[in-house]
Amino acid sequence: MRLTFDDTVESFRSTFRAWLGENRPSEEEMTADPAVSSAHLPGWARRWTRRMFDDGWLVPGWPPERGGRDAAPVETLVYLEELERARVPRTTNPQGLGIVAPSIFEFGTEEQVSRYAMPILRGEKSACLGMSEPGAGSDLASLSTRATAEGDGFVVNGQKVWTSGASHADFCFLFCRTDPDAPKHKGISVLLVDMDTPGVTVRPLPHITKPEQTDLNEVFFTDAVVPAANLLGQLNNGWALAGASLAHERGMVWLGTVMELESTFDRLAAEAREILPRLPAFEQAHAADQIVRCYVDVQAAKCLGYRSFAKLARGGSAPEQALMKAFCSESHRRLHLVGSELHGDGGLDVWDARRGEQAWIEQYFNSFGGTISAGTSEIQRNIIAERVLGLPRG
Amino acid sequence: MDLELSEEELELRDNVRGVLAAACPPSLVRSVFEGKDTGDALWEQMVGLYWPALALPERVGGLGRTFVDVTIVVEELGRAVAPGPYLATVTQFTPAVSELGSPEQADRFLAPVAAGETTGTLAVAEHGRWEPAAVAAVARPEGSDWVLTGSKSTVLDADTADEVVVVARATDTAGIDGLGAFVVPGDELEAFPRRVIDPTLRICDVVLDDIEVPADRVLAEPGAGGTTQALRRVLDEATVAVAASTIGACRRIFEMTLDYAKEREQFGRPIGSFQAVKHRIADLYSIVERSTALLYFAALTIAEDDPRRREAASLAKAAAGDCQRLVAEDGLQLHGGIGMTWEYDLHLLLKRAKAGEALFGTAASHRAELARSLELVAP
């Protein structure tokens, strides 16, 4: 165990820091044209992705032809630390870069790589993930969107829901049922579906606190024809692909989450320093205790993340990774709850005029996105109990 | 930041765990609980394996390893509910002498610790308070000697330790000013053993009845510059060590609970297949892993003398406190009736975990410390 990285890693950090300073998108261009969904690529985001790709900084751990430089895991870690510190988003299409592109590289044909994965890396295309359905949330394997083989392709019918970024995405990484007679895990395939395919329609779902926000959508498929060449991997092997795809996400996603927890905590503490002196002793002590508990959680998440990373970097397994999703999202939610309660009746206001953004209470409701999406906290606990701890399935 | 044990550290842990499995089985712990054994043979074995010498400098006969290694040993001692003077001698007396005393005093008092000839402890708390400002015991000068009066609470091994570092203050001083530290031979103190929940920890209250301390046993004269700061460094180490012991016990409780949930069948299936049980066990795993991560971070800040050490110690102790609360409660609840028996080993661990909460500051007092360091409340 040690507190610091060795010199070669630190020099990697300085190299990237210098590059970042010269090439990063400016605050002005980012605020002038913000990404409004998780598959929206504003002009600056397209240019930024392309610059990172060209200079080997998009996915440092990958080879140069895929926008990397064959960096070691620990180098990728300090790269992410620097991006977070500079408050520059690595991508505005995280599911495209983090899940869809790597899955296509792993399972796709050359044509799929050149038509779908490489354009993501060059900032030319974005992707959404078609997973949840009205009848298939936590029980994803019971999905019923049908893809029927017909001629030289598939005809798709059905509906997806909670599809982040669908209104901006160029294509969908669609999980659909290709064999209705097989056991439910064994009849699923993945198709790459262009969003402008006739028969694909997107209906944005107004968000709990921002009705105008268009990140979540319903996506309807009505006799949409998808070429056979867009089948990813083996027919009916989609469930295995789902597990492998989501695994790309783990490993280092925690870092961004932890750094966001830290900056949220810093904001909470700064506001508390103004508010606490005005409170009567008992309420002051109670609020301070709530805030310190958040601090312990944030620091614990950080140390747990670094510990699990060290295990992975040594080539071992890191069961702690399974804990990070539920714990970080629950800590995030708790921070916002404590933040809204800290303000007393002022916490009812939905807009924080001083900072020009949504107030704690609104962000508290938003934070449930973290504990519900991508496997609810309850599903995470099942996964920990069954896959990590070996408890029998119920 | 690398918070995973190195090959060498893992080897030490496995080695210590193996030794304790043979030398400190639950049957020994139960005998100590029942007053039928003292655990002295275990201490002799630890001495033979140079455990007390691990982090001491080579100059006094130590092995020159770091506080991380001590943390690893103490975590395993907690896991085994090991009795004996290791915790007080190595994580309280030793840092007190190193941090507060002169190099000559370090040589004089620590060489025998490295050789396993001397045990020691630290008398700092009074009336349940562990912070330096709460010290009320008085040291008054008499020629070149000092005379100590007052009382100390919750001193580990005070009735058996060879040497006791006593913290006392100059007459008419208050707060963090005027503090001093003295080494008193154990047999000069009046120690009153308490009947406590974990009898493998010899917890005593101590009365200081005009104890004369010659000048060469004064580690820090009352009011000498830097004493409070040095004392805080001692408390950092002792605090992290207690957290390690607590988390060691908690990890074992978690493992026993997990095993039990897999074996115990009701309604025709293992109770661990029910989500009501499963989710609680997942939460136990999470809190044990989180506390361990904070523990190792704190141990590292001490080993590398990082400026964050004081805050890291409070984080680790606060987390260990929350950990023992949840793990002891759910661990016992999920075991059902068998956990309520003397014969089953679980209670030994529950008691070690609970004892850790009360030593060197409760979780609440360390959160208060964090609230001050975060400037949420006035210092």
Side-chain angles (χ1 to χ4, degrees):
Chain A
M1 299 203 293
R2 49 189 296 193
L3 285 175
T4 49
F5 295 118
D6 56 27
D7 293 347
T8 57
V9 177
E10 288 307 324
S11 96
F12 184 92
R13 185 198 298 279
S14 333
T15 307
F16 178 59
R17 188 181 288 180
W19 183 88
L20 187 61
E22 287 167 22
N23 292 280
R24 57 163 292 168
S26 71
E27 290 291 344
E28 296 73 44
E29 56 183 337
M30 289 195 290
T31 42
D33 189 9
V36 295
S37 86
S38 57
H40 178 212
L41 305 177
W44 64 263
R46 291 175 188 269
R47 292 190 295 275
W48 168 231
T49 300
R50 180 68 202 227
R51 260 200 309 278
M52 287 202 289
F53 175 79
D54 286 344
D55 290 359
W57 287 118
L58 185 63
V59 188
W62 286 357
E65 61 273 21
R66 289 186 187 171
R69 50 181 62 223
D70 293 315
V74 62
E75 292 172 331
T76 302
L77 184 81
V78 300
Y79 154 87
L80 292 170
E81 285 179 348
E82 289 303 311
L83 276 176
E84 292 289 340
R85 200 158 294 152
R87 296 184 168 276
V88 177
R90 184 177 175 215
T91 171
T92 58
N93 180 214
Q95 66 271 31
L97 183 63
I99 302 175
V100 174
S103 302
I104 296 173
F105 284 125
E106 190 171 350
F107 300 100
T109 61
E110 269 180 48
E111 193 208 339
Q112 288 166 345
V113 165
S114 73
R115 284 189 55 207
Y116 294 102
M118 295 308 292
I120 287 179
L121 303 191
R122 292 193 298 257
E124 294 158 2
K125 278 188 179 178
S126 67
C128 60
L129 278 174
M131 299 182 96
S132 296
E133 296 182 2
S138 291
D139 182 14
L140 183 65
S142 69
L143 59 88
S144 62
T145 293
R146 277 281 279 132
T148 316
E150 255 187 56
D152 187 28
F154 297 92
V155 176
V156 182
N157 281 286
Q159 183 196 344
K160 294 289 169 181
V161 72
W162 321 128
T163 315
S164 293
S167 58
H168 290 102
D170 295 292
F171 70 97
C172 179
F173 191 90
L174 181 71
F175 288 84
C176 49
R177 189 158 301 284
T178 39
D179 183 353
D181 301 322
K184 64 179 184 178
H185 292 86
K186 296 191 171 158
I188 296 171
S189 301
V190 172
L191 297 179
L192 306 176
V193 182
D194 291 312
M195 293 301 284
D196 59 5
T197 305
V200 178
T201 48
V202 175
R203 189 180 84 88
L205 282 165
H207 191 254
I208 179 170
T209 65
K210 275 192 209 162
E212 72 283 7
Q213 186 174 314
T214 58
D215 192 37
L216 296 179
N217 302 273
E218 294 176 296
V219 184
F220 299 91
F221 299 86
T222 313
D223 293 331
V225 177
V226 179
N230 284 21
L231 170 70
L232 184 69
Q234 305 270 305
L235 188 70
N236 297 327
N237 195 34
W239 187 253
L241 216 148
S245 302
L246 294 174
H248 292 298
E249 268 290 76
R250 303 198 182 102
M252 282 179 239
V253 227
W254 61 269
L255 186 70
T257 315
V258 161
M259 292 184 86
E260 195 191 340
L261 284 174
E262 279 195 298
S263 64
T264 307
F265 177 80
D266 289 345
R267 179 151 70 81
L268 176 66
E271 293 181 12
R273 285 178 203 119
E274 288 181 24
I275 294 170
L276 291 185
R278 303 201 293 264
L279 298 180
F282 183 84
E283 289 169 51
Q284 185 187 84
H286 175 75
D289 193 58
Q290 296 293 307
I291 293 164
V292 171
R293 284 174 182 277
C294 288
Y295 187 63
V296 176
D297 286 348
V298 171
Q299 293 303 312
K302 183 176 176 179
C303 289
L304 188 65
Y306 278 96
R307 182 163 154 75
S308 70
F309 172 78
K311 291 186 179 181
L312 290 178
R314 279 174 214 181
S317 65
E320 296 91 344
Q321 290 269 314
L323 301 169
M324 293 298 285
K325 200 266 178 187
F327 184 66
C328 288
S329 59
E330 288 167 13
S331 299
H332 194 244
R333 198 171 71 185
R334 200 152 43 240
L335 271 169
H336 287 95
L337 180 65
V338 171
S340 72
E341 290 180 348
L342 172 69
H343 287 263
D345 54 1
L348 298 172
D349 296 342
V350 295
W351 188 253
D352 182 336
R354 206 162 60 163
R355 285 185 302 111
E357 63 178 50
Q358 286 188 304
W360 292 102
I361 184 70
E362 293 278 72
Q363 296 199 11
Y364 168 64
F365 288 125
N366 294 344
S367 72
F368 280 74
T371 54
I372 293 172
S373 69
T376 63
S377 287
E378 290 67 32
I379 289 293
Q380 298 302 321
R381 283 173 172 75
N382 285 350
I383 291 173
I384 293 160
E386 290 164 13
R387 297 193 205 156
V388 178
L389 304 177
L391 287 169
R393 296 178 65 90
Chain B
M1 184 161 73
D2 178 350
L3 290 178
E4 166 61 344
L5 303 184
S6 66
E7 292 280 320
E8 211 179 8
E9 289 158 352
L10 281 169
E11 200 179 306
L12 173 69
R13 185 196 67 185
D14 292 346
N15 185 318
V16 171
R17 189 173 291 184
V19 168
L20 291 173
C24 185
S27 55
L28 170 71
V29 179
R30 196 175 280 100
S31 296
V32 175
F33 263 69
E34 292 166 354
K36 296 173 185 162
D37 198 321
T38 56
D40 290 349
L42 177 64
W43 174 242
E44 279 168 32
Q45 196 162 353
M46 291 187 204
V47 168
L49 293 165
Y50 302 101
W51 290 358
L54 262 183
L56 283 168
E58 286 167 20
R59 148 177 82 74
V60 298
L63 302 183
R65 306 273 297 246
T66 73
F67 185 71
V68 169
D69 284 9
V70 171
T71 303
I72 291 168
V73 172
V74 171
E75 194 183 347
E76 292 304 315
L77 295 177
R79 182 187 172 89
V81 200
Y86 192 91
L87 190 67
T89 302
V90 175
T91 74
Q92 299 173 17
F93 178 74
T94 297
V97 172
S98 318
E99 297 285 350
L100 291 156
S102 66
E104 295 73 36
Q105 287 170 323
D107 290 350
R108 171 181 168 192
F109 291 109
L110 298 184
V113 168
E117 293 157 3
T118 291
T119 62
T121 188
L122 172 65
V124 61
E126 294 180 31
H127 305 291
R129 303 307 306 177
W130 297 79
E131 61 271 21
V135 169
V138 167
R140 63 171 199 276
E142 237 181 59
S144 64
D145 297 351
W146 290 80
V147 178
L148 308 181
T149 53
S151 64
K152 290 285 165 185
S153 66
T154 318
V155 182
L156 214 50
D157 302 333
D159 59 336
T160 52
D162 298 315
E163 302 284 356
V164 182
V165 170
V166 176
V167 181
R169 65 167 64 251
T171 322
D172 298 328
T173 63
I176 57 171
D177 298 322
L179 294 169
F182 309 83
V183 187
V184 176
D187 52 19
E188 290 185 17
L189 296 168
E190 275 185 274
F192 300 93
R194 284 162 39 188
R195 283 188 59 204
V196 294
I197 187 77
D198 176 2
T200 62
L201 299 174
R202 305 183 67 95
I203 289 174
C204 304
D205 291 335
V206 169
V207 173
L208 308 167
D209 189 8
D210 282 333
I211 294 172
E212 288 177 30
V213 184
D216 64 344
R217 283 180 162 267
V218 178
L219 296 176
E221 282 203 7
T227 301
T228 307
Q229 222 171 359
L231 180 58
R232 286 211 167 108
R233 293 169 61 83
V234 177
L235 294 174
D236 292 344
E237 281 197 43
T239 300
V240 174
V242 173
S245 164
T246 307
I247 290 166
C250 284
R251 186 173 288 277
R252 184 74 195 117
I253 296 168
F254 157 70
E255 289 170 359
M256 289 176 72
T257 307
L258 175 62
D259 289 345
Y260 187 75
K262 289 178 183 175
E263 286 160 18
R264 169 72 175 166
E265 294 197 3
Q266 285 291 277
F267 306 100
R269 54 191 176 121
I271 60 169
S273 67
F274 297 109
Q275 278 192 333
V277 173
K278 198 177 266 189
H279 285 193
R280 286 166 79 173
I281 290 179
D283 285 341
L284 297 188
Y285 176 60
S286 177
I287 204 164
V288 170
E289 290 300 342
R290 270 146 44 205
S291 311
T292 302
L294 280 174
L295 169 68
Y296 290 165
F297 174 64
L300 264 179
T301 61
I302 289 172
E304 298 188 13
D305 203 10
D306 187 275
R308 293 168 290 180
R309 52 183 279 162
R310 192 168 161 208
E311 178 181 292
S314 282
L315 282 166
K317 189 63 167 62
D322 285 347
C323 181
Q324 63 78 24
R325 267 182 120 177
L326 188 71
V327 173
E329 188 157 299
D330 282 2
L332 179 50
Q333 176 68 22
L334 292 174
H335 268 87
I338 190 73
M340 298 291 291
T341 65
W342 188 261
E343 285 76 17
Y344 195 72
D345 298 336
L346 186 72
H347 75 99
L348 308 172
L349 289 143
L350 296 172
K351 291 167 183 173
R352 173 61 60 96
K354 283 288 161 198
E357 167 61 5
L359 302 174
F360 287 86
T362 59
S365 75
H366 283 283
R367 284 198 301 272
E369 176 62 35
L370 290 166
R372 287 187 288 271
S373 71
L374 289 166
E375 296 171 7
L376 297 173
V377 295

